[in-house]
Amino acid sequence: MNNLLFCSVGRRGRLLRNVKETIGKTGLIIGTDNQSTAPALQFCDRQYVVPRITEPGYIDRILEICRENKVKAITTLIDPEIEILASNTERFKEIGVIPLCPAPQSAIYCFNKYELYKYLVTKGIRTPLTFHDWDEFKGALADGRIAFPVFMKPVCGSGSVGAHKVHTLEQAEADWFSGEHNYIIQELMTGGDCDADVYVDTISHKAVAAFSKRKIETRIGGASKTISFKDPKLFAFIEEICSVFEFNGPLDMDFFIKDGEYYLSEINPRFGGAYLHAYGAGVDFIQLIVNNINGIENEVNIGNYDNDVLMMMYDDVVIARAEDLVDRNYSFI
């Protein structure tokens, strides 16, 4: 059985419905969350309410769930858990589970945006100019390497929380020293942006599928309307990026465009919120995972989809009885 464990499923119900469409009766979807009211649990074949990811014993519980359900591959749908899975890679492998997450150091680079910037610079990968020291930023202002407006965001943020444009030194200084977030400051990229869903084969460790899209509309946390496009130049850049990391499984990459070149902004080594677009356009990462589970190395098949396929997100709901929740003791007060 191709049993898959999705940790911290939250609101990602449509993704799990898509997973079920692909694996059908050949596998089970096992889902976990720290709240029994997480909507996406309702789309799982087996549901577990688990401790918060920061609590002692969390990973032991996840390993126990893997054993109980003969799980073949595991992933998480939230950024803070990626490093946790990555640091326990060998424990999962020992019980026959493929961890769909980066190697530990690659996970650190992806979650800490300044560490990512420094690493990309050493590898010659184009990325926006970034500062994590106030005095260095002011020095760069003085010598003309950067100018207002600039972009500020938390160094380890997620879901666009705290990310904003800044127009003056006074505003930047107030935000920097507010204590609200541990910020980085980046050059403002105004040439456009796009993102890509990428699958890195767990056997060859090469990028074997990629789906790129431009954002038409963005809400808090991600794009809500996107349109597909294909550019061999972007695909080559994606392969170059993947060659300097140790990735396994799905990735969500964000890019800026400047002077006709792509610049890497961020990498989220998990299913992106808009992966639904890729799946709807025929780029099926779930089948690639199933192939890897069964020892099949996926062939490189990047860009196998149509241009100008639209995705338009809308809201939906799950209706359930309280008595049917996996945790019957959940408090609604």
Side-chain angles (χ1 to χ4, degrees):
M1 295 287 284
N2 303 307
N3 296 348
L4 307 178
L5 174 55
F6 289 82
C7 298
S8 305
V9 294
R11 297 161 52 89
R12 305 288 295 276
R14 180 58 185 269
L15 170 63
L16 298 184
R17 285 167 56 191
N18 290 347
V19 173
K20 196 61 182 177
E21 288 173 4
T22 294
I23 64 172
K25 296 181 180 179
T26 71
L28 299 174
I29 301 173
I30 295 92
T32 71
D33 202 275
N34 62 27
Q35 296 186 17
S36 61
T37 52
L41 284 176
Q42 301 300 315
F43 299 97
C44 299
D45 296 304
R46 295 177 184 172
Q47 311 166 4
Y48 291 87
V49 175
V50 296
R52 292 185 177 276
I53 64 173
T54 53
E55 291 187 19
Y58 172 77
I59 204 67
D60 290 331
R61 179 62 181 131
I62 296 300
L63 287 161
E64 186 178 72
I65 291 170
C66 287
R67 294 188 191 96
E68 288 174 1
N69 295 279
K70 298 181 180 179
V71 168
K72 298 297 180 63
I74 182 173
T75 189
T76 178
L77 300 181
I78 61 170
D79 293 327
E81 192 172 5
I82 293 169
E83 280 191 57
I84 296 171
L85 296 186
S87 62
N88 287 278
T89 292
E90 294 307 316
R91 297 182 70 185
F92 288 111
K93 289 182 177 178
E94 286 171 3
I95 61 172
V97 178
I98 298 173
L100 299 171
C101 62
Q105 188 57 57
S106 291
I108 291 170
Y109 288 143
C110 291
F111 192 58
N112 186 304
K113 296 174 178 60
Y114 190 63
E115 292 300 318
L116 176 65
Y117 166 75
K118 291 191 296 181
Y119 181 68
L120 293 175
V121 169
T122 66
K123 296 298 182 180
I125 303 292
R126 293 184 300 276
T127 190
L129 181 63
T130 303
F131 297 92
H132 192 218
D133 180 277
W134 180 253
D135 291 333
E136 287 183 11
F137 167 65
K138 288 184 67 177
L141 275 175
D143 62 27
R145 284 184 292 139
I146 194 169
F148 285 103
V150 296
F151 199 73
M152 294 180 67
K153 58 186 177 182
V155 68
C156 292
S158 182
S160 301
V161 174
H164 61 287
K165 186 189 299 187
V166 178
H167 294 272
T168 66
L169 181 61
E170 291 76 18
Q171 181 188 357
E173 186 170 13
D175 292 349
W176 185 273
F177 293 103
S178 68
E180 185 175 354
H181 296 288
N182 181 9
Y183 281 111
I184 56 172
I185 299 178
Q186 294 182 317
E187 63 176 312
L188 185 66
M189 308 292 280
T190 58
D193 63 356
C194 63
D195 59 45
D197 298 292
V198 180
Y199 187 81
V200 174
D201 191 84
T202 67
I203 298 173
S204 69
H205 305 292
K206 294 180 181 178
V208 295
F211 176 85
S212 53
K213 53 197 182 292
R214 293 188 177 92
K215 299 170 187 175
I216 300 173
E217 180 181 275
T218 302
R219 294 185 180 181
I220 295 174
S224 56
K225 294 179 183 178
T226 53
I227 186 166
S228 65
F229 76 99
K230 296 194 280 190
D231 184 350
K233 194 173 184 179
L234 176 58
F235 295 149
F237 191 39
I238 288 169
E239 291 182 281
E240 179 186 357
I241 292 164
C242 289
S243 72
V244 301
F245 290 93
E246 295 180 71
F247 289 137
N248 286 292
L251 311 171
D252 173 30
M253 294 186 177
D254 294 334
F255 299 92
F256 290 113
I257 303 166
K258 178 181 177 181
D259 300 328
E261 298 287 352
Y262 293 99
Y263 284 68
L264 178 63
S265 171
E266 296 183 13
I267 307 174
N268 300 304
R270 54 167 172 75
F271 281 99
Y275 166 71
L276 305 174
H277 190 177
Y279 183 86
V283 183
D284 189 350
F285 288 4
I286 309 306
Q287 186 58 55
L288 302 182
I289 293 170
V290 169
N291 291 344
N292 283 162
I293 286 173
N294 291 285
I296 300 170
E297 180 180 326
N298 293 295
E299 297 181 359
V300 177
N301 191 20
I302 292 175
N304 185 17
Y305 59 89
D306 292 333
N307 283 310
D308 297 331
V309 177
L310 284 161
M311 180 195 72
M312 296 159 282
M313 283 189 178
Y314 69 99
D315 295 328
D316 203 348
V317 300
V318 172
I319 306 297
R321 291 183 177 276
E323 64 192 34
D324 294 331
L325 299 182
V326 62
D327 181 2
R328 307 301 197 280
N329 297 315
Y330 188 87
S331 173
F332 296 96
I333 298 175

